[in-house]
Amino acid sequence: MNNSGAVSNQAYVDDGEGYVTRIKIGKEAQSQDHCVEETAAETTDTDYNPYLHRNVQHPLTNNETLVHLLKIALGTGIFAMPNAFNHAGYLVGFIGTIIIGIITNYCVHMLVNTHYLLCKKKKVPSLTYPLIAEAAFLSGPKCFHKYAAAMIQVVNVFTLVYEIGACCIYVVFMASNFKELSDYFLDTETDIRLIMLIMLLPLILINWIRNLKYLAPLSTIGTFFTVASISIVCYYIFREPLTFDDGKQAVGSLRGFPFFFGNVLFALEAIAVIMPLENEMKTPKRFVGVTGILNRSMCVVIALYVGVGFCGYLKYGPEIKPSITLNLPQQEILAQAVKTMISCGVFISNAVVTQVAIDLAWTQYFVNRLTENSNKLLWEYFLRTGIVCITFLFAVAIPNLDLFISLLGALTLSMLGLTMPAIFDCLTQWHHTSGLARFILILKNATIAIIGLAGLIIGTSISMQDIIKTYFE
């Protein structure tokens, strides 16, 4: 579940000088500079309910939250799932995607529960992911307290790398599909980097839009394009009987599993938008639970990804490409329509995802240094252009969708989606457990954290080795 439809928990306020400042919605607007420093104000008052103290301007209903979660799932990740199965084999891929989906879903549940407990302890309505990290480290053993402030920056850096990396993937994805169209209609081999260069100016211009509400109509169109594209891809998958022969493996190579792991994490993980969504719900208690919004959406998402990955691999076998859209016949109008629509949809999604990276970089590292600067607006446009150019340069350097997705999933989401929630859960509940309960708490979270760290180290190492071998040797 990539965050192509990322939902922000921020509003936009005019400061009277024509500059739109991003602020946190509602009473959660507590600065990262002091939110969890106030340990003296902590109480053990069990009567405080964070949900009753949230003041959200436009709260989301249960159905709206469910739609947002499902919408986030409809991104580039789903088109890469057949290739992920190619690395793991259809049997390992089928079982592995379900297991990884269950683990990531459980980690989200842990993060939401940790968030609730920390809000209750701090007597604040809500916290952002970086502040959850800080508060969790302050809640654990004293030896962890000195690292609390640094954890804000750690989470911010991992999030920023993920968002920029996702934008790079979108650029490569669009360019790869446009290249297929260009090669067919021009009857010549087009350099994918030239296509990226042509896309650069439109990407800069759409990312100069400072208010997400102006992207809302385009986002709706983009969602329609994506749904239509998935439907047509399914038509191509099932228009002929699927078979298990022609070199299709039930179990892939051991070296291929880290690629599979990174691809699935990128596809399924939505950690960057979980807290903003939960913070803006009208009835946040309904978010978790056995029949909660999160479980319902993840069941649909996992089934969708397993289905597309499994059947897409059986359709094309070892010939599957990094995105299944690239396997569709070039000469057929319907396939050309898919490549055009999905590229346009991703173009719009790129602006939304880049906005998240811009907001993070601007609010955390720039705006406080430019308080008295009369050219604040100019600096923001400079930052917007710079981030787009950074994503463009990385995409030009490594125009390989397969390697990029695997690297990003292993490098960032294994930490943000697995290791960090496990650590935060352990630290938050440390003083509330003892004996066997504490042993189980440590064992459970250590297992998840080790899985995440193994994915980070092994997946990143193998991806980097292949990138170096492919482009620099």
Side-chain angles (χ1 to χ4, degrees), residues 17-95:
E17 301 176 356
Y19 179 77
V20 180
T21 303
R22 294 168 189 79
I23 63 169
K24 303 291 184 199
I25 290 177
K27 294 183 180 179
E28 71 164 333
Q30 303 217 10
S31 171
Q32 290 188 355
D33 295 327
H34 67 274
C35 179
V36 291
E37 295 285 340
E38 308 154 353
T39 54
E42 294 179 10
T43 73
T44 58
D45 186 0
T46 58
D47 293 330
Y48 183 84
N49 187 342
Y51 297 152
L52 300 179
H53 292 78
R54 291 182 183 175
N55 181 18
V56 182
Q57 293 178 353
H58 303 288
L60 299 173
T61 65
N62 294 342
N63 288 335
E64 288 172 339
T65 305
L66 180 61
V67 169
H68 277 304
L69 284 172
L70 294 177
K71 179 182 176 183
I72 293 165
L74 302 177
T76 56
I78 191 170
F79 298 107
M81 284 303 297
N83 187 51
F85 274 61
N86 183 39
H87 288 296
Y90 60 80
L91 180 61
V92 174
F94 188 96
I95 298 173

Side-chain angles (χ1 to χ4, degrees), residues 164-172 174-175 191-201 203-204 350 354 382-400 404 407 467 471-472:
I164 291 177
C167 294
C168 295
I169 289 173
Y170 290 164
V171 172
V172 177
M174 288 184 288
D191 190 337
I192 191 173
R193 293 178 173 89
L194 176 61
I195 296 176
M196 292 179 186
L197 183 61
I198 296 173
M199 291 165 44
L200 179 58
L201 181 58
L203 285 171
I204 291 175
N350 176 274
T354 307
F382 178 79
L383 174 66
R384 289 175 175 274
T385 305
I387 288 180
V388 174
C389 289
I390 288 172
T391 62
F392 166 77
L393 291 175
F394 275 113
V396 167
I398 312 173
N400 188 304
F404 233 134
L407 175 63
I467 288 172
Y471 294 103
F472 302 102

Side-chain angles (χ1 to χ4, degrees), residues 306-336:
V306 168
V308 172
F310 181 80
C311 297
Y313 175 60
L314 292 185
K315 171 67 176 179
Y316 295 105
E319 302 302 319
I320 190 68
K321 295 183 179 180
S323 170
I324 194 174
T325 57
L326 304 178
N327 284 94
L328 304 185
Q330 285 184 310
Q331 70 278 9
E332 295 188 16
I333 295 178
L334 196 58
Q336 295 166 1

Side-chain angles (χ1 to χ4, degrees), residues 122-134:
K122 295 293 178 182
K123 301 187 73 173
V124 294
S126 60
L127 296 167
T128 60
Y129 197 171
L131 292 184
I132 292 173
E134 184 185 28

Side-chain angles (χ1 to χ4, degrees), residues 234-392:
C234 289
Y235 160 73
Y236 276 104
I237 290 175
F238 295 110
R239 72 174 179 176
E240 296 172 355
L242 301 178
T243 64
F244 289 88
D245 52 10
D246 298 328
K248 297 158 189 172
Q249 300 181 359
V251 180
S253 66
L254 185 61
R255 182 180 174 81
F257 188 80
F259 285 93
F260 166 77
F261 183 78
N263 272 260
V264 175
L265 271 185
F266 175 78
L268 288 175
E269 191 58 76
I271 203 71
V273 297
I274 289 298
M275 298 320 303
L277 276 176
E278 194 264 354
N279 284 340
E280 292 195 24
M281 284 189 66
K282 185 177 182 180
T283 55
K285 287 184 179 180
R286 302 289 181 87
F287 190 74
V288 292
V290 177
T291 59
I293 302 299
L294 181 58
N295 282 351
R296 280 190 280 166
S297 65
M298 284 302 294
C299 285
V300 174
V301 168
I302 292 173
L304 185 63
Y305 277 68
V306 168
V308 172
F310 181 80
C311 297
Y313 175 60
L314 292 185
K315 171 67 176 179
Y316 295 105
E319 302 302 319
I320 190 68
K321 295 183 179 180
S323 170
I324 194 174
T325 57
L326 304 178
N327 284 94
L328 304 185
Q330 285 184 310
Q331 70 278 9
E332 295 188 16
I333 295 178
L334 196 58
Q336 295 166 1
V338 169
K339 296 170 185 177
T340 303
M341 288 192 298
I342 192 59
S343 297
C344 292
V346 170
F347 177 77
I348 299 167
S349 298
N350 176 274
V352 178
V353 176
T354 307
Q355 187 77 32
V356 178
I358 291 168
D359 283 346
L360 178 57
W362 179 254
T363 57
Q364 298 302 314
Y365 303 108
F366 282 87
V367 71
N368 291 334
R369 295 177 172 84
L370 300 171
T371 305
E372 305 298 330
N373 195 308
S374 59
N375 295 319
K376 189 164 56 174
L377 181 59
L378 182 62
W379 277 105
E380 185 188 358
Y381 278 111
F382 178 79
L383 174 66
R384 289 175 175 274
T385 305
I387 288 180
V388 174
C389 289
I390 288 172
T391 62
F392 166 77

